[in-house]
């Protein structure tokens, strides 16, 4: 039976130390601002165990180049073990990111100088398998705070990356029909 519907606002720092953020080659830091909203439906499995499905949508953003825009979203299915006010969570999911560009070119560092590189006029979407592990603390039945770690590219050790999220959540009872 459905136990609760929740809405949350969070921030995900993705691929720590792996994303180039400047033309000089600097990488992203331990904190990046990537806000998102999520919705989660929880089902009571036993008194101590719940299952859940979660969907999240990131706010669209541009990177260092205004001609490039990104839209990301994910879907997770998982379970949690309740211990007093704590829920210990684990889930598997899919993470998609759509990258769109305008026609034109981009002046990028080629190692010895700068070169104009063409930009595609079409958008592309990437898909990653993710595993999430987290802990959620309930301040009261209506409000909780969650911290999660995510592993991207589970099946590819060469491209595997780590991310983390912090999420504030508001819970609503699901009416019985």
């Amino acid at each position: 039976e459905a136990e609760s519907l929740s809405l949350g606002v969070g921030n995900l720092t993705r691929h720590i130390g792996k994303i180039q953020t400047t033309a000089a080659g600097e990488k992203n830091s331990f904190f990046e601002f990537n806000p998102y909203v999520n919705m989660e439906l929880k089902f009571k499995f036993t008194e101590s165990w719940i299952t859940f499905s979660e969907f999240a949508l990131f706010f669209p953003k541009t990177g260092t180049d205004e001609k490039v825009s990104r839209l990301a979203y994910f879907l997770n299915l998982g379970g949690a073990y309740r211990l007093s006010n704590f829920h210990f969570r684990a889930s598997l999911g899919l993470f998609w990111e759509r990258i769109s560009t305008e026609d034109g070119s981009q002046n990028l560092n080629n190692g010895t100088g700068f070169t104009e590189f063409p930009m595609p006029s079409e958008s592309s979407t990437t898909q990653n398998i993710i595993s999430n592990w987290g802990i959620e603390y309930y301040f009261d039945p209506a409000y909780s705070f969650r911290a999660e770690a995510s592993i991207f590219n589970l099946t590819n050790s060469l491209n595997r990356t780590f991310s983390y999220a912090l999420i504030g959540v508001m819970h609503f009872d699901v009416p019985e029909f």
Side-chain angles (χ1 to χ4, degrees):
E1 92 185 44
E3 181 175 89
S4 72
L5 174 71
S6 64
L7 300 174
V9 176
N11 187 72
L12 178 72
T13 296
R14 294 185 327 167
H15 316 303
I16 300 167
K18 299 285 185 176
I19 298 174
Q20 183 175 331
T21 57
T22 66
E26 294 175 12
K27 305 287 183 171
N28 65 327
S29 66
F30 192 72
F31 181 78
E32 280 189 321
F33 189 61
N34 293 304
Y36 66 92
V37 294
N38 75 332
M39 183 172 68
E40 184 176 84
L41 187 58
K42 292 182 179 173
F43 298 90
K44 183 178 181 180
F45 192 66
T46 68
E47 286 301 315
S48 299
W49 290 94
I50 60 169
T51 60
F52 60 86
S53 58
E54 176 186 22
F55 176 76
L57 179 65
F58 287 79
F59 293 97
K61 68 185 277 187
T62 58
T64 53
D65 188 333
E66 295 291 324
K67 295 179 182 177
V68 179
S69 63
R70 299 171 179 271
L71 177 66
Y73 47 97
F74 65 81
L75 177 66
N76 289 326
L77 300 173
Y81 178 75
R82 293 186 239 227
L83 184 62
S84 185
N85 289 357
F86 292 93
H87 286 195
F88 299 92
R89 301 167 49 98
S91 64
L92 281 174
L94 293 172
F95 189 101
W96 294 273
E97 183 169 27
R98 181 184 168 113
I99 300 172
S100 303
T101 61
E102 296 176 12
D103 266 340
S105 62
Q106 187 177 32
N107 193 23
L108 297 173
N109 189 339
N110 65 11
T112 59
F114 287 86
T115 303
E116 288 287 323
F117 290 92
M119 294 178 64
S121 59
E122 301 170 357
S123 63
S124 65
T125 302
T126 62
Q127 177 177 293
N128 287 284
I129 297 171
I130 56 173
S131 172
N132 303 295
W133 303 87
I135 186 168
E136 187 168 15
Y137 178 75
Y138 281 73
F139 298 100
D140 69 44
Y143 299 99
S144 66
F145 179 79
R146 185 165 77 226
E148 274 184 351
S150 301
I151 304 169
F152 282 71
N153 297 318
L154 282 173
T155 58
N156 186 334
S157 62
L158 186 61
N159 294 325
R160 189 170 298 137
T161 63
F162 300 91
S163 304
Y164 75 92
L166 302 173
I167 308 112
V169 184
M170 187 165 40
H171 304 270
F172 304 93
D173 290 337
V174 176
E176 292 186 33
F177 294 99

